[in-house]
PDB file of all heavy atoms in Angstrom:
ATOM      1  N   ASP A  30      12.426   7.602  12.206  1.00 94.00           N
ATOM      2  CA  ASP A  30      10.997   7.242  12.340  1.00 94.00           C
ATOM      3  C   ASP A  30      10.829   5.872  13.050  1.00 94.00           C
ATOM      4  O   ASP A  30       9.870   5.556  13.769  1.00 94.00           O
ATOM      5  CB  ASP A  30      10.226   7.244  11.080  1.00 94.00           C
ATOM      6  CG  ASP A  30       9.965   8.667  10.472  1.00 94.00           C
ATOM      7  OD1 ASP A  30      10.141   9.643  11.144  1.00 94.00           O
ATOM      8  OD2 ASP A  30       9.623   8.850   9.307  1.00 94.00           O
ATOM      9  N   ARG A  64      25.457   7.725  13.440  1.00 94.00           N
ATOM     10  CA  ARG A  64      26.323   8.720  14.058  1.00 94.00           C
ATOM     11  C   ARG A  64      25.371   9.954  14.506  1.00 94.00           C
ATOM     12  O   ARG A  64      25.550  10.317  15.720  1.00 94.00           O
ATOM     13  CB  ARG A  64      27.342   9.177  13.129  1.00 94.00           C
ATOM     14  CG  ARG A  64      28.394  10.220  13.815  1.00 94.00           C
ATOM     15  CD  ARG A  64      29.201  10.914  12.780  1.00 94.00           C
ATOM     16  NE  ARG A  64      28.381  11.758  11.901  1.00 94.00           N
ATOM     17  CZ  ARG A  64      28.022  13.036  12.362  1.00 94.00           C
ATOM     18  NH1 ARG A  64      28.241  13.430  13.556  1.00 94.00           N
ATOM     19  NH2 ARG A  64      27.280  13.667  11.474  1.00 94.00           N
ATOM     20  N   ASN A  77      30.836  -4.418  19.213  1.00 83.00           N
ATOM     21  CA  ASN A  77      30.650  -5.406  18.115  1.00 83.00           C
ATOM     22  C   ASN A  77      29.741  -5.086  17.074  1.00 83.00           C
ATOM     23  O   ASN A  77      28.920  -5.917  16.646  1.00 83.00           O
ATOM     24  CB  ASN A  77      30.150  -6.776  18.854  1.00 83.00           C
ATOM     25  CG  ASN A  77      30.361  -7.969  17.972  1.00 83.00           C
ATOM     26  OD1 ASN A  77      31.269  -7.974  17.124  1.00 83.00           O
ATOM     27  ND2 ASN A  77      29.478  -8.981  18.102  1.00 83.00           N
ATOM     28  N   ASP A 101       6.470  22.598  25.908  1.00 97.00           N
ATOM     29  CA  ASP A 101       5.314  22.508  25.092  1.00 97.00           C
ATOM     30  C   ASP A 101       4.269  23.629  25.244  1.00 97.00           C
ATOM     31  O   ASP A 101       3.722  24.157  24.380  1.00 97.00           O
ATOM     32  CB  ASP A 101       4.644  21.163  25.239  1.00 97.00           C
ATOM     33  CG  ASP A 101       5.443  20.104  24.497  1.00 97.00           C
ATOM     34  OD1 ASP A 101       6.521  19.807  24.842  1.00 97.00           O
ATOM     35  OD2 ASP A 101       4.741  19.494  23.649  1.00 97.00           O
ATOM     36  N   ARG A 107       2.725  30.408  21.748  1.00 98.00           N
ATOM     37  CA  ARG A 107       3.141  31.123  20.584  1.00 98.00           C
ATOM     38  C   ARG A 107       2.294  30.718  19.347  1.00 98.00           C
ATOM     39  O   ARG A 107       1.970  31.620  18.483  1.00 98.00           O
ATOM     40  CB  ARG A 107       4.550  30.801  20.300  1.00 98.00           C
ATOM     41  CG  ARG A 107       5.537  31.485  21.254  1.00 98.00           C
ATOM     42  CD  ARG A 107       6.975  31.060  20.966  1.00 98.00           C
ATOM     43  NE  ARG A 107       7.363  31.447  19.566  1.00 98.00           N
ATOM     44  CZ  ARG A 107       8.121  32.517  19.166  1.00 98.00           C
ATOM     45  NH1 ARG A 107       8.510  33.342  20.176  1.00 98.00           N
ATOM     46  NH2 ARG A 107       8.386  32.786  18.027  1.00 98.00           N
ATOM     47  N   ALA A 112      -1.448  31.111  14.687  1.00 98.00           N
ATOM     48  CA  ALA A 112      -2.174  30.208  13.865  1.00 98.00           C
ATOM     49  C   ALA A 112      -3.185  30.896  12.874  1.00 98.00           C
ATOM     50  O   ALA A 112      -3.873  31.758  13.312  1.00 98.00           O
ATOM     51  CB  ALA A 112      -2.869  29.197  14.733  1.00 98.00           C
ATOM     52  N   ASP A 161      13.481  22.488  17.815  1.00 95.00           N
ATOM     53  CA  ASP A 161      14.503  21.488  17.777  1.00 95.00           C
ATOM     54  C   ASP A 161      14.552  20.776  19.057  1.00 95.00           C
ATOM     55  O   ASP A 161      14.854  19.518  19.107  1.00 95.00           O
ATOM     56  CB  ASP A 161      15.862  22.076  17.312  1.00 95.00           C
ATOM     57  CG  ASP A 161      15.901  22.318  15.777  1.00 95.00           C
ATOM     58  OD1 ASP A 161      15.043  21.908  14.958  1.00 95.00           O
ATOM     59  OD2 ASP A 161      16.816  23.073  15.487  1.00 95.00           O
ATOM     60  N   LEU A 162      14.554  21.537  20.262  1.00 95.00           N
ATOM     61  CA  LEU A 162      14.614  20.971  21.479  1.00 95.00           C
ATOM     62  C   LEU A 162      13.513  20.045  21.706  1.00 95.00           C
ATOM     63  O   LEU A 162      13.675  18.933  22.277  1.00 95.00           O
ATOM     64  CB  LEU A 162      14.690  22.061  22.536  1.00 95.00           C
ATOM     65  CG  LEU A 162      15.887  22.944  22.631  1.00 95.00           C
ATOM     66  CD1 LEU A 162      15.696  24.136  23.541  1.00 95.00           C
ATOM     67  CD2 LEU A 162      17.126  22.112  23.075  1.00 95.00           C
ATOM     68  N   ASP A 212      -1.919  17.665  28.679  1.00 92.00           N
ATOM     69  CA  ASP A 212      -1.785  16.523  27.747  1.00 92.00           C
ATOM     70  C   ASP A 212      -0.470  15.872  27.882  1.00 92.00           C
ATOM     71  O   ASP A 212      -0.313  14.642  27.891  1.00 92.00           O
ATOM     72  CB  ASP A 212      -2.006  17.185  26.319  1.00 92.00           C
ATOM     73  CG  ASP A 212      -1.980  16.056  25.262  1.00 92.00           C
ATOM     74  OD1 ASP A 212      -2.867  15.314  25.104  1.00 92.00           O
ATOM     75  OD2 ASP A 212      -0.948  16.043  24.545  1.00 92.00           O
TER      76      ASP A 212
END
Side-chain angles (χ1 to χ4, degrees):
D30 287 350
R64 185 194 66 76
N77 198 25
D101 281 67
R107 287 177 61 97
D161 284 348
L162 290 172
D212 181 73

